[in-house]
């Protein structure tokens, strides 16, 4: 059974930090491209960071570049998102995603809420 379980969200003040985790099971984690998305009510879900299995190459959306860091631990089958210098505009539900285009599989977690407010 495929599972992606996010954790680490919460309420944080502007300028603060959070570290999101996404624990995976049920599929070969190390060969999947992994991403973090976020979504606010009324808007489409948007990719904010991505890390591919080969060479651990990363990509970031402009809105988070320089503040967020995506990483993966294949031994623990866990994806991370370190978020620093958080701003109110970062408030959203954050989702992890695992995708393997070659075989058409695409998995989502249930999401974890991040709220940045003073």
């Amino acid at each position: 059974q495929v599972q992606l379980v996010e954790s680490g969200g919460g309420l944080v003040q502007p300028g603060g930090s959070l570290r999101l985790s996404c624990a995976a099971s049920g599929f070969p984690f190390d060969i999947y491209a992994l991403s973090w998305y976020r979504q606010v009510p009324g808007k489409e879900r948007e990719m904010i960071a991505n890390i591919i299995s080969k060479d651990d190459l990363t990509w970031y959306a402009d809105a988070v570049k320089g503040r967020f860091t995506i990483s993966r631990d294949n031994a623990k089958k866990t994806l991370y998102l370190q978020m620093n210098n958080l701003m109110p505009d970062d408030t959203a539900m954050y989702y992890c995603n695992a995708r393997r285009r070659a075989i058409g599989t695409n998995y989502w977690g249930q999401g974890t809420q991040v709220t940045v407010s003073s």
Side-chain angles (χ1 to χ4, degrees), residues 23-50:
S25 61
F27 65 97
F29 179 85
D30 58 332
I31 61 172
Y32 271 64
L34 304 173
S35 305
W36 286 99
Y37 285 72
R38 68 186 182 187
Q39 188 173 25
V40 297
K43 292 191 176 181
E44 290 188 0
R45 193 173 296 186
E46 60 173 354
M47 184 189 292
I48 56 169
N50 171 264

Side-chain angles (χ1 to χ4, degrees), residues 72-87:
R72 62 193 294 166
D73 186 329
N74 288 337
K76 294 183 178 180
K77 295 187 177 182
T78 302
L79 175 69
Y80 302 100
L81 185 68
Q82 177 66 43
M83 305 187 294
N84 298 329
N85 192 22
L86 282 160
M87 302 184 294

Side-chain angles (χ1 to χ4, degrees), residues 28 30-33 53 97-107:
D30 58 332
I31 61 172
Y32 271 64
S53 56
N97 172 271
R99 185 173 186 177
R100 185 140 177 87
R101 291 178 184 266
I103 57 175
T105 51
N106 191 29
Y107 306 129

Side-chain angles (χ1 to χ4, degrees), residues 7-9 18-22 36 79-81 83 94 112 114:
S7 61
L18 283 175
R19 188 193 195 200
L20 305 184
S21 299
C22 174
W36 286 99
L79 175 69
Y80 302 100
L81 185 68
M83 305 187 294
Y94 283 71
T112 186
V114 172

